[in-house]
Amino acid sequence: MVLKEGATRSRGTVVQRGNITAAKIIAELIKSSLGPRGMDKMLVDSLGDITITNDGYEILDEADIEHPAAKIMVEVAKTQDEVAGDGTTTAVVLAGALLKRAEELLDKKIHPSAIVTGYRKASDESIRVLKMIAQEIDVDDKDVLQKVAETAMHGKATDSAKTLFSEIAIKAVKLVAEEKDGTLLVDKDDIQLVKSVGRGLLDSYLVQGLIIDKEIVHPDMPKYLEDAKIAVIDTALEIEKPEFDARIRLRDPIQIRAFLDEEERLLSEMVNKITGTGANVVMCQRGIDDLAQHYLMKNGILSVRRIKMSDVERLSKATGAKIVTNIDEMSSDDLGWAELVREEKIGEDTFIFIEGCKNPRAVSIMMRAGFERMLDEAERSMQDGIGVLVDVLKENKVVAGGGSIEVELAKQIRDFSTKISGREQLAVEAFAEALEEVPTVLSENAGLDPIDIMVELRAAHEKEGGTWFGINVLNGEVANMIDLEVLEPIIVKEQAIKSAVEAASMILRIDDMIASSKAPPAPEPPPGAEY
Ligand code: ADP
Ligand code: MG
């Protein structure tokens, strides 16, 4: 007995087939959401909270997935989301298709390592072809950027707002992009998405600055302040209250009076320290005592308390404020600056806007929608739009979507397979077939006959100038997707292929699974037991 009691071990084909099946189920689960005609999923968690989404990663993240191989598929979606910001469904569908084809090869007694090697070669070749045929775009051409962003947002519940959302995303990304060694890099954290229920999607807008989901602590403080000198404080503007046993010793009213006077003195000193630096705005991560609020108000200082740490860091970065942890050592050098700080009630929520910050690389998007679940999906849509824009700024190359790129790659991979000998050749061919899963699913989801469409697509790609022929899902015709301006960043496709191949290879290599037993629940004492 090497394994712990209760651990189970399974090996060989049982494990391999079990894993493949689990992974295929995941791909099957989300494939109906692929493409502009894809459907949404409604997910209900154990607490009854509902999410309605079309986003591959979101679906898998919300679904409570247990099987270890299925979890690898969730990882694929996650990596895709982090690296490319879009293409999560595609990556998972592709991984599922690779495994489906691999299963057929396993049935023919082809060794998993031959399949893995074949897939690896086909993947390298696909990426080489991808880089060769991708089209360069001018990142200053707003129209092209608009098309790229709209393609990513097409077919979501928020479709009606995709033009506006794309415009907002382009502005946001352009404002925060920074040139490093000739490439435009964007730190997505510089773009803050703030959500407020009410109005409609088309009431969403961009703010050059920060938005904090808080209100001003005192009603008599200014609600609108230009030339804001901002103190960002990470300590409570309160006097630490004595412990209970210390308090009972203050029986004498004179002592109590003295104690209160002392408290008042300390708080007023604290506020004097702050006003002494020239600050007219206080942004505090902790609490602000009522009395301190009063003194701050008397000094005309706009103050906000209990700000989230992440917002405090954002504030510091945007306004140039140093985060103060000790009021006694505070000076004017610690203050940040913004053109304007103001409070505004939007829908049911009150927000603080910090606009025209010292560091212009701070933008926020106020997302609006009539109800909460739409708002959440709007946020994901916006993130996809931002994601693809960040991709094309980083590498200014696009390919056409609608299945065109996958059909073209499949064709070129089939040609390439003739150069590969032995059993690996079969795997390379299988890879080509797996790529065609994307146009197949796109046409299925659009209610078209995938067999007819594939025949037409292959024929179109054989012709001169047929490279970009894909499915116009709106009318079911095979058409040039560049002409239809369905454009996707090369990074999205490259990453989808890479992660799909990695996941499929990883799952194929496993032939042994050892699972330790879960800790048994502690036995309940029988009723009436004496303890
Ligand atoms: P993913 O999570 O993979 O991004 P989507 O549901 O966003 O999944 O669908 C992406 C697919 O939809 C891509 O293959 C893309 O080319 C395709 N697509 C997007 N817009 C269009 C369009 N107007 N016509 C045809 N296909 C489109
Ligand atoms: Mg997408």
Side-chain angles (χ1 to χ4, degrees):
M1 261 284 139
V2 179
L3 299 176
K4 229 176 161 176
E5 199 187 331
T8 52
R9 178 174 184 196
S10 30
R11 336 181 38 177
T13 335
V14 181
V15 171
Q16 214 163 45
R17 296 305 170 101
N19 284 340
I20 291 175
T21 306
K24 277 196 321 190
I25 289 172
I26 297 296
E28 203 58 38
L29 178 81
I30 70 164
K31 79 177 200 192
S32 70
S33 72
L34 182 75
R37 290 298 194 89
M39 301 298 280
D40 295 350
K41 306 271 173 200
M42 182 187 250
L43 304 147
V44 186
D45 71 10
S46 54
L47 297 171
D49 280 341
I50 297 172
T51 305
I52 299 170
T53 185
N54 175 280
D55 185 278
Y57 173 55
E58 185 68 16
I59 296 169
L60 298 181
D61 191 41
E62 288 284 328
D64 216 352
I65 285 158
E66 275 225 6
H67 193 286
K71 280 192 176 152
I72 295 178
M73 299 291 269
V74 182
E75 287 293 309
V76 170
K78 187 170 172 209
T79 311
Q80 181 73 24
D81 197 49
E82 282 167 4
V83 178
D86 187 31
T88 51
T89 317
T90 305
V92 174
V93 165
L94 212 48
L98 287 169
L99 286 166
K100 186 159 87 187
R101 305 294 168 188
E103 208 174 21
E104 291 160 12
L105 296 176
L106 290 172
D107 287 342
K108 293 186 191 148
K109 302 277 178 276
I110 293 174
H111 195 272
S113 63
I115 304 176
V116 169
T117 313
Y119 279 2
R120 166 81 39 220
K121 287 183 180 167
S123 154
D124 291 348
E125 175 66 8
S126 308
I127 285 160
R128 194 188 67 79
V129 175
L130 201 55
K131 289 195 188 292
M132 208 173 59
I133 64 178
Q135 315 247 310
E136 219 166 86
I137 61 160
D138 173 7
V139 293
D140 292 323
D141 182 346
K142 286 237 164 70
D143 292 339
V144 181
L145 295 183
Q146 183 81 21
K147 294 303 166 199
V148 172
E150 283 185 17
T151 299
M153 296 188 190
H154 195 167
K156 315 266 168 199
T158 51
D159 207 272
S160 60
K162 69 171 191 274
T163 308
L164 173 70
F165 279 21
S166 300
E167 285 165 11
I168 293 177
I170 293 170
K171 273 193 206 133
V173 167
K174 286 255 164 175
L175 280 166
V176 302
E178 225 174 328
E179 191 169 332
K180 271 204 192 103
D181 310 327
T183 35
L184 282 169
L185 296 181
V186 172
D187 180 355
K188 281 187 222 171
D189 288 342
D190 287 340
I191 304 172
Q192 182 197 14
L193 298 189
V194 183
K195 296 184 284 182
S196 174
V197 175
R199 300 259 194 156
L201 297 169
L202 295 176
D203 294 300
S204 305
Y205 57 91
L206 180 94
V207 173
Q208 273 181 264
L210 300 184
I211 303 173
I212 293 176
D213 185 2
K214 287 280 167 220
E215 43 191 277
I216 293 170
V217 287
H218 194 290
D220 296 332
M221 283 177 180
K223 304 229 181 304
Y224 187 101
L225 233 163
E226 284 175 18
D227 187 19
K229 302 181 187 72
I230 306 166
V232 177
I233 299 173
D234 182 26
T235 180
L237 302 186
E238 289 165 345
I239 306 300
E240 260 180 64
K241 294 284 187 288
E243 296 290 329
F244 177 68
D245 58 346
R247 201 178 307 156
I248 51 171
R249 258 179 259 129
L250 298 173
R251 272 197 214 114
D252 181 348
I254 296 174
Q255 258 182 333
I256 295 175
R257 186 67 250 162
F259 175 78
L260 290 176
D261 287 349
E262 176 66 3
E263 196 179 51
E264 225 175 282
R265 192 183 62 79
L266 287 171
L267 282 171
S268 118
E269 237 171 49
M270 219 181 239
V271 172
N272 285 342
K273 272 274 171 202
I274 296 171
T275 51
T277 63
N280 54 10
V281 173
V282 166
M283 296 283 174
C284 186
Q285 201 233 326
R286 311 284 177 93
I288 303 179
D289 184 278
D290 286 353
L291 205 54
Q293 287 178 26
H294 177 80
Y295 292 138
L296 286 164
M297 182 271 288
K298 285 282 174 213
N299 282 288
I301 296 182
L302 185 163
S303 317
V304 182
R305 68 175 161 180
R306 302 217 170 88
I307 299 175
K308 274 191 300 192
M309 198 54 210
S310 55
D311 281 340
V312 166
E313 277 158 9
R314 238 192 269 273
L315 268 168
S316 156
K317 189 175 171 194
T319 65
K322 293 201 193 82
I323 300 173
V324 174
T325 47
N326 183 348
I327 308 256
D328 286 336
E329 287 167 11
M330 196 174 160
S331 79
S332 58
D333 291 343
D334 296 328
L335 302 182
W337 185 83
E339 266 166 41
L340 174 66
V341 175
R342 64 185 176 89
E343 183 187 74
E344 189 184 334
K345 191 162 192 274
I346 293 171
E348 292 298 298
D349 315 296
T350 306
F351 295 96
I352 309 287
F353 287 71
I354 298 105
E355 293 171 75
C357 298
K358 195 174 193 174
N359 174 1
R361 262 180 217 102
V363 303
S364 306
I365 300 171
M366 175 59 82
M367 307 285 309
R368 306 298 313 273
F371 54 100
E372 192 148 349
R373 288 181 243 298
M374 180 62 96
L375 196 54
D376 290 343
E377 188 68 345
E379 182 185 25
R380 288 187 281 273
S381 245
M382 186 61 88
Q383 276 163 348
D384 283 356
I386 292 171
V388 291
L389 291 170
V390 171
D391 289 341
V392 290
L393 289 197
K394 193 161 155 203
E395 187 173 355
N396 64 335
K397 285 184 169 175
V398 297
V399 294
S404 66
I405 182 67
E406 286 84 3
V407 176
E408 181 61 22
L409 288 176
K411 179 190 139 195
Q412 300 218 20
I413 294 297
R414 279 199 187 92
D415 292 346
F416 169 74
S417 75
T418 57
K419 295 187 205 140
I420 308 284
S421 56
R423 305 188 150 201
E424 285 167 18
Q425 187 186 52
L426 296 175
V428 174
E429 281 168 8
F431 186 97
E433 277 166 38
L435 284 169
E436 288 179 342
E437 183 80 356
V438 173
T440 303
V441 173
L442 280 176
S443 44
E444 271 171 14
N445 288 350
L448 307 168
D449 181 344
I451 297 176
D452 291 348
I453 296 280
M454 285 316 298
V455 170
E456 258 189 81
L457 276 174
R458 283 182 182 166
H461 280 253
E462 287 306 325
K463 293 200 189 105
E464 183 77 23
T467 310
W468 301 116
F469 273 69
I471 311 148
N472 179 356
V473 292
L474 301 178
N475 61 9
E477 278 167 19
V478 162
N480 186 326
M481 301 313 278
I482 295 264
D483 293 346
L484 289 178
E485 298 178 303
V486 176
L487 304 176
E488 296 188 86
I490 185 173
I491 291 180
V492 170
K493 295 298 175 187
E494 186 178 339
Q495 185 58 40
I497 292 173
K498 281 183 181 162
S499 17
V501 171
E502 255 167 43
S505 307
M506 183 179 260
I507 290 171
L508 283 170
R509 278 210 195 91
I510 303 168
D511 79 334
D512 205 340
M513 195 152 86
I514 301 160
S516 33
S517 66
K518 291 217 175 80
E524 281 199 22
E530 285 178 25
Y531 278 107

